[in-house]
Amino acid sequence: MGKTLYKKVWEAHTVSTLNDGRTQLFIGSHLIHEVTSPQAFGMLRDLNLPVKYPHRTFATVDHIVPTESQQQPFEDPLADAMINELRSNVEANNIQYFSLNTGKQGIVHMVGPEQGITQPGTTIVCGDSHTATHGAFGAIAMGIGTTQVRDVLATQTLALSELKVRRINVTGKLQTGVYAKDVILHIIRHLGAKGGIGYAYEYAGNVFDAMSMEERMTVCNMSIEGGARCGYVNPDQTTYDYLKGRAYAPKDSEWDEALARWESYRSDADADYDDIVEFAAEDIEPTVTWGISPDHGVAISEPIPDPEKAETPEQKASILEALEYMKLPAGTAPTDIEIDVAFLGSCTNGRLSDFREAANILKGHKVAEGIKAIAVPGSQITAHQCEQEGIADIFREAGFEWRHAGCSMCLAMNPDKLTGDQICASSSNRNYKGRQGSPTGRTILMSPAMVVAAAVKGKVTDVRTLNA
Amino acid sequence: MAIQPITTLTGKAVPIAGADIDTDRIIPARFLKCVTFDDLAEGMFYDERFEKDGSSKNHPIDDPKHAGASLMVVGPNFGCGSSREHAPQSIKRSGFQAIIGSSYAEIFFGNSTGLGMPCVSADPADVETLANYITEHPQTELTLDLTAGEVRYGEHRLEINMPEGPKEALLSGRFDSIQELLDQTAAIEETAAALPYI
Ligand code: SF4
């Protein structure tokens, strides 16, 4: 029996077996940001421990950064205290910091790949659940808590239990208007928000083979919304082409050695999986959420569910709670839902290809009257590229606010928030109650293309009909 | 690190209804603007417990009949979403010692274990029976016995389980793994040396 990439990388990074039976796993790259690291540095100070491998930790600032102006000091004194704390911690410990004035700042899950820190066959952690994003490169990448951030800083290792591996095959041809975001929303809808607990997801099949690195990142990013702590795609030429020449990628003769090593980590053809599921690409439509959990999804042509038709009492309760919060009657057609806000950005869909695709659709249209539409590149590098390619201007001309890099309206830690019970068409990853900053705010997750279509029409819209 | 075995916990419980309670609901993001965990208790379940003007929504946590509860009984997939350790920290700092449910998001589970706050699992229907029982008999003292793998309440007994590794870590009092990790310095350096990218 062959091995999966997960198994091979796990074995290569195993340091020891701990008394309680867990594995002590070596962590190759550690990413930190301002929200979950300050307490960890505090714990280190209390224990009087140094950072063991400072050159394997990389920092940036994202969650609290205001996107209208990155000028410091920030207006919010709490946010300002957090960025200052991060700065003093990285300075005191000699940690590479992609700060606001480097031109390289951005959402932590964009910075790692952009800099070439995210590489195949490595282990990557960050005190942030969307670390799963980095699995797109064939890495074991997962979110951790702050006490674990302390453990990594102090020892570059973690006490972990090995996960099972589920291979998710998506084969066939995606319809026009169906994007990576729709693929992952479709998978989560069918496997459930807790379907992935205990598993790493391996995404395989010709649909993922054909995807760009940015699309693979969109998919892996939302593994966590499906309950899987990490998700990955086996590395291939697409991966290597993306990495070549990036700041932290191997150079010269090291490149060829790295390539051979990366190839060796790919899952074997006869690898042993704990589970295998299949999806047909043809069955995937543009997909949107209608409720308060990422698995509350429907195809754009379907009505939102009727609690009376639920299969289990648990499902019925979940639908009733969601419909009540969303203030939507059962059976509503998604395309009848009017929106107040359109948000394009986040670590799921804040990359150059997302803005390119969205700009293509948006060109020649205007944001509907009364809709607040904001476009927020995920990193300063992406922001710069969008300016250079004229993408930013397309958004501005259409009536979008074009912002600076950060997490923005994905979560409520900076000034970008919903108010009251506003409905937001959002390219982010979470539609939880209150997620976008108002305790009664409502989120509808969708692809970037669908976000701009919604912005133009003022309601949830099948992007395939916009220019038809 | 001090060794504090966690074997048996006794106390009253509060039921928190609903599946897929995410960490944004446990601790809304605006409470994360802090550089220590010290003051997190006040944010726990804030938007579920209080109206915008601060008036109470009469959440079970604030129901006087559950005052002083140290165990939380929850629905499936509890703690999903963000990795924020602020979530279990806020629960622990509010005086809870353990969580009884049917399933947990993994990062939340690991964070809680690391804090010495067990998240034990039982059959979903049995957890619901327990939650209903507590609602009707809020004064009941529960005994969570990790060694025996059960929760005892009234005349009843609920079988619970927990994966071996974390359970062993709690029972032996070694749930804070830092010392054990630090002890392996030589092995850590050896592993690093064998990985060309380090
Ligand atoms: S964009 Fe959203 S999901 Fe991604 S790191 Fe920022 S807050 Fe988290």
Side-chain angles (χ1 to χ4, degrees), chain A residues 345-360:
Chain A
S346 88
C347 60
T348 314
N349 283 123
R351 299 186 185 80
L352 181 60
S353 57
D354 297 316
F355 290 101
R356 273 191 190 144
E357 187 64 32
N360 275 337

Side-chain angles (χ1 to χ4, degrees), chain A residues 94-116:
Chain A
N94 260 320
I95 290 167
Q96 175 66 49
Y97 176 31
F98 301 102
S99 71
L100 289 172
N101 43 31
T102 56
K104 297 171 185 166
Q105 169 266 345
I107 305 172
V108 66
H109 311 307
M110 291 192 52
V111 172
E114 281 173 350
Q115 295 301 320

Side-chain angles (χ1 to χ4, degrees), chain B residues 68-137:
Chain B
S70 61
L71 301 167
M72 207 176 253
V73 178
V74 304
N77 199 26
F78 188 75
C80 59
S82 140
S83 65
R84 59 185 73 161
E85 187 170 308
H86 306 67
Q89 288 274 5
S90 72
I91 295 176
K92 187 151 191 256
R93 285 165 193 270
S94 300
F96 291 91
Q97 295 182 306
I99 305 181
I100 303 164
S102 54
S103 58
Y104 303 91
E106 260 164 58
I107 304 180
F108 180 87
F109 178 91
N111 285 341
S112 300
T113 308
L115 298 178
M117 181 170 73
C119 295
V120 300
S121 303
D123 180 79
D126 294 343
V127 175
E128 205 164 314
T129 309
L130 169 63
N132 292 335
Y133 187 90
I134 299 165
T135 306
E136 282 162 33
H137 309 91

Side-chain angles (χ1 to χ4, degrees), chain A residues 332-350:
Chain A
T332 307
T335 46
D336 285 340
I337 304 174
E338 293 188 359
I339 65 155
D340 305 293
V341 178
F343 168 56
L344 182 55
S346 88
C347 60
T348 314
N349 283 123

